Amino acid sequence: MPANPHVIDNLQLRSEEVQEIITTPPAWLIRWGITLVFMITCGLIFLSFFIKYPDFIMSRVLVTTVEPTEKMIARTSGQIDKIWVNNGEKVSAGQPLASIKSTSNVHSVLFLKKLLDDIPFGKNNGFFFPIDSLSNEVLGEIEIAFVEFERSYMEFRLLERLQPSLVHLEGNRQSIQEIHERLTSQLAQKEILERKVTLVEKDFKRNKILYEGGVIAAKDFESREMEYLQVQEQVNGMAITISQLQEALVNAGQTLKSTQVSKEQDESRALINLIQSYHGLKRAVKEWENNYVLASSTAGEVSFQGVWGEHQFVQAGEHVFSILPDQRSELLGKMIVSSQNTGKISMGQRVLIKLDNFPFQQFGTLRGEVGSISVSPDEEGNYIVYSTLPEGTKTSYGKEIKLKQELLGTAEIITEDLSVAERLFFKLKSVTEY
């Protein structure tokens, strides 16, 4: 029967030659092995001062332009009535993109809006508004405001054309002129009458002296006295007439001023009503436009979000269009960072952005700097951090990424660019402190 191979192996391992090799390793191996381990250890310690292992804070980031992408949100639920642009088309600021169906005809309202914007308002130029050109237009929701404006406009134009107060003013001026002429005539007659009184008074005094001397009879003296009293009575009557004319002149002047005040009040009232109704109509048109017309407020490229064509139903609050502005040279990244470790974030720190649409292993990362930090956290305890991108969309690999929309990605805010040795010393320091 053959011997057990395990027994043979044990006997061979325990032979004197094997035992000698195991118990007495070569001296060169010990000497050079320890030296090699020491050199490797020193090399690793030396390299730890140069190998950077930065401390960073990660966050989701939205890369967009300084002038952000405009999102056109439907303010009213309804069917799309008209779409005036195509997907990807260049649009200008204020250009209508689409309209939602309403009781108003969109072309009628836009025509009215053009008239209100093109015709300057002012009393000096007469403010002629072509009301008749809107007689066949369908205005729907803004019909009440337009009727009020039409009434005020017609009242203002009628008052401006007929000027009914001018008739009263002209009559008052003529009355004043006539009173002036009569008063002037009475004053002239009064001067003549006063000279006559002087002469009659002298004659009366001479006859009185003659009567007292017995030269003339009592009847002749009494006739002279009667003549003198009649002239006195005429003077008194003339004074009363002049006083009445002067009073009439004052009353006529007051009437003229009252008529002028009434004229100014009527014109001011008509103008104020016109101004109020004019601005009320513009406000109604603006409100209708905000509710039923989607218009771009910036120049850029339009992108359809959830709309495919006319007669499609949209809900209020639905994202319909996006406008990517033409000014894309200056970019920024918006990050929402939790309150943990935000005290380590400061202005000017480097930010590395890895885009979701462009894998960083192939395209590289975008490089930015911390530009601003919100002073206080939001309701969820997060801070908003904005980073600038001095190199724009040029990546660390030298590739230029074409920005067609807002880009999402992950941002790494490098708070401290520490070496491995520094981080190790920080750990040892924290251990000794505790």
Side-chain angles (χ1 to χ4, degrees):
M1 183 174 180
N4 191 344
H6 294 289
V7 175
I8 297 174
D9 291 340
N10 291 333
L11 292 175
Q12 292 176 351
L13 287 173
R14 289 175 173 79
S15 64
E16 295 181 0
E17 293 81 0
V18 174
Q19 291 292 334
E20 182 180 1
I21 293 173
I22 293 175
T23 57
T24 309
W28 65 268
L29 179 62
I30 296 175
R31 183 172 61 253
W32 289 107
I34 294 174
T35 303
L36 181 61
V37 171
F38 177 75
M39 292 178 62
I40 292 174
T41 304
C42 292
L44 291 176
I45 295 175
F46 179 76
L47 290 176
S48 67
F49 286 93
F50 297 94
I51 298 174
K52 299 294 184 181
Y53 187 71
D55 188 13
F56 58 86
I57 298 175
M58 295 187 63
S59 170
R60 294 294 295 171
V61 63
L62 172 67
V63 178
T64 182
T65 56
V66 173
E67 185 179 356
T69 300
E70 182 181 7
K71 296 181 179 180
M72 308 298 300
I73 306 298
R75 298 181 179 86
T76 305
S77 301
Q79 285 184 322
I80 297 294
D81 184 26
K82 186 69 178 178
I83 298 178
W84 290 290
V85 294
N86 297 319
N87 192 20
E89 182 179 336
K90 293 288 185 178
V91 296
S92 58
Q95 179 179 346
L97 308 180
S99 63
I100 299 175
K101 287 185 178 181
S102 67
T103 57
S104 304
N105 184 285
V106 61
H107 297 289
S108 299
V109 179
L110 293 180
F111 176 62
L112 174 59
K113 179 178 182 294
K114 185 176 184 303
L115 291 178
L116 292 173
D117 293 338
D118 293 344
I119 298 177
F121 181 83
K123 184 181 177 182
N124 294 332
N125 59 9
F127 184 61
F128 175 76
F129 192 86
I131 290 288
D132 296 337
S133 62
L134 297 166
S135 57
N136 296 326
E137 302 294 343
V138 180
L139 300 178
E141 289 89 345
I142 62 175
E143 185 71 31
I144 296 177
F146 177 75
V147 170
E148 180 64 22
F149 168 74
E150 184 180 23
R151 184 190 63 78
S152 300
Y153 175 75
M154 297 303 295
E155 180 181 350
F156 176 79
R157 293 291 296 176
L158 187 65
L159 186 64
E160 187 179 46
R161 185 175 69 254
L162 298 181
Q163 293 290 332
S165 298
L166 291 181
V167 178
H168 299 288
L169 289 175
E170 186 62 27
N172 291 333
R173 292 191 182 97
Q174 290 180 359
S175 298
I176 292 174
Q177 182 65 28
E178 291 177 359
I179 294 173
H180 267 296
E181 292 177 355
R182 290 173 59 189
L183 183 59
T184 302
S185 176
Q186 290 294 325
L187 291 174
Q189 291 180 8
K190 181 182 179 183
E191 291 180 0
I192 296 174
L193 190 59
E194 287 176 348
R195 291 178 61 189
K196 184 178 179 180
V197 168
T198 303
L199 295 175
V200 171
E201 185 178 4
K202 289 181 180 180
D203 184 58
F204 171 72
K205 290 180 179 179
R206 284 195 297 266
N207 282 276
K208 183 177 181 181
I209 295 172
L210 293 175
Y211 172 72
E212 291 176 351
V215 177
I216 61 174
K219 182 178 180 181
D220 294 333
F221 174 73
E222 291 174 357
S223 63
R224 294 292 184 275
E225 185 178 10
M226 180 65 69
E227 183 179 358
Y228 175 69
L229 293 174
Q230 289 177 350
V231 173
Q232 288 282 355
E233 186 179 2
Q234 291 178 1
V235 171
N236 293 333
M238 183 68 69
I240 294 173
T241 302
I242 292 174
S243 177
Q244 291 175 345
L245 289 175
Q246 290 175 341
E247 183 180 1
L249 184 62
V250 172
N251 294 333
Q254 292 177 349
T255 303
L256 178 63
K257 290 182 179 179
S258 299
T259 306
Q260 290 175 338
V261 170
S262 298
K263 178 178 178 297
E264 294 295 331
Q265 288 177 344
D266 293 341
E267 292 178 352
S268 298
R269 188 181 301 108
L271 181 60
I272 291 173
N273 291 337
L274 179 60
I275 293 174
Q276 291 177 346
S277 60
Y278 172 80
H279 290 294
L281 180 59
K282 292 194 71 173
R283 185 167 53 253
V285 171
K286 186 66 176 178
E287 290 176 357
W288 183 91
E289 189 178 19
N290 287 336
N291 291 330
Y292 296 100
V293 177
L294 300 174
S296 172
S297 60
T298 183
E301 181 180 336
V302 62
S303 173
F304 287 21
Q305 296 299 124
V307 174
W308 300 277
E310 297 178 359
H311 308 297
Q312 179 183 345
F313 189 86
V314 294
Q315 291 285 353
E318 184 177 350
H319 186 185
V320 183
F321 301 112
S322 292
I323 307 296
L324 184 64
D326 290 334
Q327 299 295 333
R328 310 177 197 172
S329 57
E330 189 174 357
L331 303 177
L332 60 83
K334 179 181 178 181
M335 296 166 283
I336 300 178
V337 182
S338 62
S339 58
Q340 185 179 6
N341 293 330
T342 52
K344 300 166 67 174
I345 301 176
S346 60
M347 304 284 289
Q349 291 177 340
R350 290 192 301 147
V351 180
L352 300 180
I353 299 175
K354 301 174 183 179
L355 299 176
D356 295 343
N357 299 18
F358 302 91
F360 73 95
Q361 297 91 342
Q362 179 181 355
F363 293 90
T365 59
L366 298 181
R367 288 165 288 191
E369 295 179 357
V370 175
S372 63
I373 309 171
S374 61
V375 178
S376 59
D378 57 14
E379 297 178 353
E380 298 179 358
N382 298 322
Y383 288 82
I384 298 178
V385 180
Y386 290 98
S387 68
T388 60
L389 279 75
E391 300 181 10
T393 55
K394 185 178 180 181
T395 67
S396 57
Y397 291 174
K399 296 184 178 182
E400 192 73 30
I401 295 177
K402 188 175 181 181
L403 180 66
K404 290 187 177 181
Q405 57 185 352
E406 295 176 339
L407 298 176
L408 293 173
T410 303
E412 296 178 354
I413 305 174
I414 300 176
T415 57
E416 291 181 293
D417 199 5
L418 302 176
S419 64
V420 175
E422 288 174 323
R423 294 181 69 87
L424 179 61
F425 291 149
F426 282 160
K427 293 292 185 180
L428 294 176
K429 182 179 179 181
S430 63
V431 170
T432 58
E433 287 181 354
Y434 286 104

